[in-house]
Every structure is written in C-alpha cells, then in structure tokens.
Amino acid sequence: MSRAGRLALGCAWALQAVLLPMAAAGGPPPSAGAEAAVAAPAARAPAPCWLRGWSQAARCGVLLRPLDPTRPQGVMIELHYAVLPALARHKADDAVFFFAGGPGQSAIDLAATLASRFNRLNQRRDLVFVDQRGTGRSAPLKCADDDERAVLQPLAERADQRQRLPRLRACRQALQALPHGDLRFYTTELAMADVDAVRQALGIARLNAIGASYGTRAVLSYQRQFPQAVRRAVLDGVAPPDMRLPETAGFDNQAALDALLQACAGEPACARRHPDLPAQLSALLASLPQDVALPHPVSGRIETVQLQRDTVLSLLRAPLYAPALAAALPAAIAEAAAGRWAPLAALASALGGSGAGLATGMHFSVVCAEDLGPKAPPLNSADAVAASSPGQTFGTSFAELYRQVCADWPRGAVSPAFYTLPAASAPTWLLSGGLDPVTPPRHGARVAQALGPLARHIVVPNAGHGVLSLGCLRDAAQRFITSDDDAGALATPADCAAALPRPTVFVPPGAAAPGAAK
C-alpha cells in the first residue's frame, strides 16, 4: 500500500494517474481466472476474522449481489465486508463506513491503517469496510501489474510505453472471460446500492461516511440515492460525479508544478541552486527518449531502461501529490539533467510501488462509463478552461491514454441523476488542499455550494491531495462526527492547519550553487 494511500484513505486517482504509465497491465494474476471458474458464490454471515496489520479480531461477512440488478436470477457476485466492532460496551447506533479511492482500491486492505488513525471513532462506533464491486475480494477486476508480485518485473518491462495499450487490451479481454467479467456493471451507482445492502444487513439505521478522492464521488452518489441513511459525511479531496478527470488532469498537474517552480524562485537558497529550473526541465524532456541506468527497487541491481516522455511525466507527477515530496523535485530534476535519474525515480516510488492493491479493470470500468461515457455532461466553465489549457509540460498525453483505452472498453449505463448534486440531507464537510494536483479546491467549492446550508468547505492552502493525512484535521473530523447535534457538528473548529507553511524546497546540505566558488 502506498504512503499516500495509508495517510489519506487511498490517493484515488493519485495512484492510477501516477503509476499507469509505468505499468504493463496484462491479464489477471494466474490463479484469478481459475478460482473464479470453480468457486461458486456463497453468502456468509459476519464471523470472527483477522485482518492484515490489525491485532484485534474483526468480523467479516459476504453478501450475494446480482451483477446486473435487472437480472436478480442471473450472475451473482460475492460482496465482502469487514467490521471492526466498537470498543465500548454501550456503542452508538450509527457506524462509520469508509469509502476507498482509486477508483480501484480495496477498503478492507486499508482497514488496519484507518482504524489506527480514526481510533477515537472506534471507541463507540463500529468501523465498516466494504470492498466495492470490482475491488479487493469482491469480484475483483485486476490486471497482472495490480498483483504485489509485479514489483519484481524488470524495469525495462514496466516502462515499455509501446506495450502499454496492447497489454491493457489483453487485460480487458482476460477480464471479460471471467464469470463476473461483464465490465458494464461496475459503476459507482451500482456499487453504492451494494453498500446500502451491507448497511441493511448489519441493521444500521444511519451511517457516517468518510471518503477520499474517488471515494468522495462514491459518498456523493450514496447520499443522493439513500439520503435518509446518512448522518454525517466527510469528503477529502472532492471528486464530483461530473468531474472528467482525463480532460482536466494536465491543467491541474501543470498548476501544481508551476506553483512549485515559483516557490523555488522565491526561496533564495533554491533560486541560487536552480537559477533557471523551468528551462532545465524543458531541456530534460526534450532530450528524451534516453537509455538510463536505475537501481531496481527490490533487488537494487542496476538495470538499463529507456525513459520516454510519458514515463518521465509520471515520475514528475507523483511527488506533486504530497508537498513534502514535491519539495525535493527541484534537486531531483537537476540530478536527472546531470544524468543521475535515481533521485527522481525514488521520489516517484515514495507514493507506491507497482500499483499493488489497485484493480485496474475496475478503474477503467468506472472512468470510461462516468467520465468519458456518452451521458457525461459538458464540462462546467472552470473545468472547460482547465481542459483547454493542459500546460506545456504535461500536455494531453494523460487524456489521450484514457481516450484510447476507453474506445474499446465496455461502458455501463449511467443515469442522468448520477451527475446531479441535490442538497445535502446531513452535515457534510468537504476538505481541499490548495496544492492538490488532481482534485483542487474549485471542485470542493462548487460542490459545497450545490449541497447547500448543511455543507462546509475547508481549504488547507499548503496541503496536497488528502488533508486527512494531517493529524489536527483528522482530529477535527472525528469531533465533527461524534458531535451530537447538527449545528454543533458544522461549527466544529477546523482551521488548525490554515497557517501550515509550504515545505521549504529541499537543497542538499552543503550544496553550492552551480559555478559558485569552493
């Protein structure tokens, strides 16, 4: 699991946007098809179980759900969920449900980390983790590089841009051969109906929802479909249902990079060390493709790999999600310009390895249907400006990848109501990081306005993607959920990180500016 995922419920599009260009997404892991072919779906009532990384017994269950809700007697899938029971003898009636990001992350895989970070909520409330259909253990749609073993692949294989689309097509074809492989039935709306079935099976009248990045889209869909079932909602890194990620990513990535370059120019030590960083970066990208030597992240052996422009853009994009990592980008760019690429590769890998834990098939099933589907509404005015100005560094390569993959990907039906934002029926917090390169504050501001008086938008100017990674905001969110009255919940103080400074741009200790006297 990635560092960003551990800190912020999963970085949602962070991981897929960063790692897809580095991955060669082939068919599912060797055993996946065989197991699906022989294992008949079976429901199981909650029973004691043990989750990786958690020292206390949980309770795990399985619901049977129709793959196609219009055919209740057709193909059934197993929907897996886990419950960490409240510690108090007299627990609250409302539980906390966590909605993972990606799209493609397993909520159950995040359970141990999230439970430790939201332990205050677990005192009196059950914590519930549902593997959304297509993820984790729930009819998974995984490609080969979603497996943990993919990190063992040679670097040249992982970075081969020529194989990217063919192997994604091969993965799609392999997934379609699975018993649950009709890729049209993995939309957010269907998945949220699954989640509500879990709520009802557990006898929970109302839930508190916490979602990050794509998980916020899931929560918004759940709120719209089941408003009476929501008590509180926390949306971290808001990704509204009408957001078309592939078309705006270039602009938002560029804005985050430009802010970093400006920060470097404004810091004397960084400006002396990197007097013309934008030109250095442009020259570096113009020098591609290059054959470079990099240490393998597992074996440590030096391997030769050809770096294409898209691969290097993914290396640049990754650290922008976390300002503390982005602070080291100027030094890493300068090292790469000098022929030393290992620091830039190491920065990118700090967000995660080869994509382990993500379900690439589910990711494209959601994005192709909802962001690029025939029923997707036109871009709003702010996003239209973003889509028309992707920036000179990142350009439109990210959007082109999705367009090419989605051209052949089966697209599920998405109702017009999915893209609407009715007034919130329960107090809702929306959290945004001012330096977020994928879900910037404009989305949270627009959604908060649509949700109305029960919504509050909180912006942390110098935070990145996922502000619940900040301890004081996480504590504030827990107070918001545990507050007994709606007015008190909305008024919970949440300005603790407003003055958080941007991390100082990293300059290696003792480093002299180029050309300086020694």
Side-chain angles (χ1 to χ4, degrees):
M1 189 59 246
S2 75
R3 174 182 180 272
R6 289 195 297 269
L7 293 181
L9 267 185
C11 266
W13 283 297
L15 289 178
Q16 283 291 3
V18 167
L19 297 172
L20 266 174
M22 286 293 289
S31 62
E35 290 176 356
V38 299
R44 293 194 295 275
C49 64
W50 296 92
L51 303 181
R52 183 167 59 182
W54 191 243
S55 60
Q56 302 172 38
R59 294 184 64 80
C60 298
V62 178
L63 287 184
L64 287 186
R65 298 286 296 167
L67 179 64
D68 177 358
T70 66
R71 299 178 59 206
Q73 306 304 318
V75 174
M76 305 296 287
I77 61 173
E78 293 184 347
L79 192 74
H80 288 248
Y81 62 91
V83 181
L84 300 184
L87 300 177
R89 178 175 301 177
H90 301 292
K91 70 178 183 180
D93 293 334
D94 49 283
V96 179
F97 279 56
F98 291 90
F99 295 74
Q105 280 190 307
S106 158
I108 293 176
D109 285 349
L110 295 169
T113 298
L114 293 174
S116 65
R117 293 184 174 275
F118 290 91
N119 57 348
R120 177 176 176 178
L121 296 179
N122 199 205
Q123 295 299 313
R124 296 192 60 237
R125 289 172 170 83
D126 291 344
L127 306 185
V128 183
F129 305 85
V130 181
D131 272 353
Q132 185 171 330
R133 59 167 62 196
T135 74
R137 300 148 188 80
S138 299
L141 299 178
K142 288 191 174 184
C143 296
D145 279 356
D146 301 332
D147 189 85
E148 292 179 354
R149 295 164 292 181
V151 74
L152 301 174
Q153 292 174 333
L155 293 178
E157 182 179 339
R158 290 168 57 192
D160 188 348
Q161 300 297 305
R162 296 166 298 181
Q163 293 300 314
R164 182 172 52 185
L165 285 171
R167 297 182 74 160
L168 281 169
R169 292 191 186 104
C171 175
R172 170 179 56 78
Q173 292 167 358
L175 293 175
Q176 288 178 293
L178 297 174
H180 58 272
D182 192 333
L183 303 178
R184 299 173 300 164
F185 296 105
Y186 292 87
T187 62
T188 304
E189 285 182 298
L190 296 182
M192 292 308 100
D194 294 339
V195 171
D196 198 62
V198 172
R199 176 189 67 82
Q200 295 183 53
L202 293 174
I204 298 169
R206 292 197 300 167
L207 58 80
N208 306 284
I210 300 179
S213 203
Y214 165 73
T216 68
R217 174 182 289 191
V219 173
L220 288 168
S221 180
Y222 185 87
Q223 276 187 314
R224 179 184 60 78
Q225 295 183 75
F226 309 101
Q228 77 290 345
V230 180
R231 176 181 172 271
R232 300 276 190 274
V234 177
L235 312 180
D236 184 15
V238 183
D242 61 349
M243 170 187 174
R244 289 160 62 170
L245 168 78
E247 298 184 12
T248 59
F251 173 87
D252 293 327
N253 295 166
Q254 187 72 47
L257 177 63
D258 289 345
L260 174 67
L261 298 179
Q262 292 169 10
C264 179
E267 293 181 16
C270 188
R272 286 194 300 270
R273 181 71 179 168
H274 310 289
D276 199 1
L277 192 58
Q280 188 176 49
L281 176 57
S282 295
L284 180 66
L285 294 173
S287 71
L288 301 170
Q290 279 192 41
D291 289 334
V292 305
L294 289 174
H296 192 281
V298 176
S299 69
R301 295 176 180 173
I302 301 299
E303 299 183 9
T304 299
V305 56
Q306 185 177 82
L307 292 183
Q308 303 278 350
R309 182 184 176 92
D310 285 354
T311 306
V312 173
L313 290 179
S314 74
L315 299 180
L316 290 171
R317 184 184 294 116
L320 294 174
Y321 287 87
L325 295 177
L329 260 181
I333 291 170
E335 287 291 293
R340 297 181 290 271
W341 289 84
L344 183 57
L347 269 185
S349 68
L351 270 180
S354 63
L358 293 168
T360 296
M362 182 271 198
H363 176 88
F364 281 107
S365 293
V366 169
V367 177
C368 292
E370 297 173 4
D371 295 60
L372 299 178
K375 297 294 182 64
L379 290 166
N380 63 72
S381 57
D383 284 356
V385 171
S388 65
S389 308
Q392 62 179 6
T393 301
F394 290 99
T396 60
S397 61
F398 186 72
E400 286 302 318
L401 168 66
Y402 276 85
R403 291 192 189 104
Q404 291 179 64
V405 174
C406 290
D408 298 323
W409 205 274
R411 304 188 192 197
V414 180
S415 73
F418 171 74
Y419 297 105
T420 64
L421 293 167
S425 59
T428 301
W429 268 14
L430 302 98
L431 310 176
S432 298
L435 303 179
D436 189 339
V438 64
T439 55
R442 72 172 184 274
H443 298 303
R446 180 168 60 85
V447 173
Q449 183 177 19
L451 295 182
L454 289 181
R456 178 182 177 188
H457 185 211
I458 300 158
V459 179
V460 182
N462 286 317
H465 188 62
V467 305
L468 287 177
S469 61
L470 303 172
C472 77
L473 258 298
R474 191 165 55 248
D475 291 343
Q478 291 181 101
R479 290 192 295 271
F480 164 71
I481 288 176
T482 56
S483 177
D484 289 332
D485 67 286
D486 290 354
L490 286 171
T492 301
D495 59 353
C496 60
L500 178 76
R502 181 175 190 137
T504 302
V505 176
F506 173 74
V507 175
K518 297 182 180 179

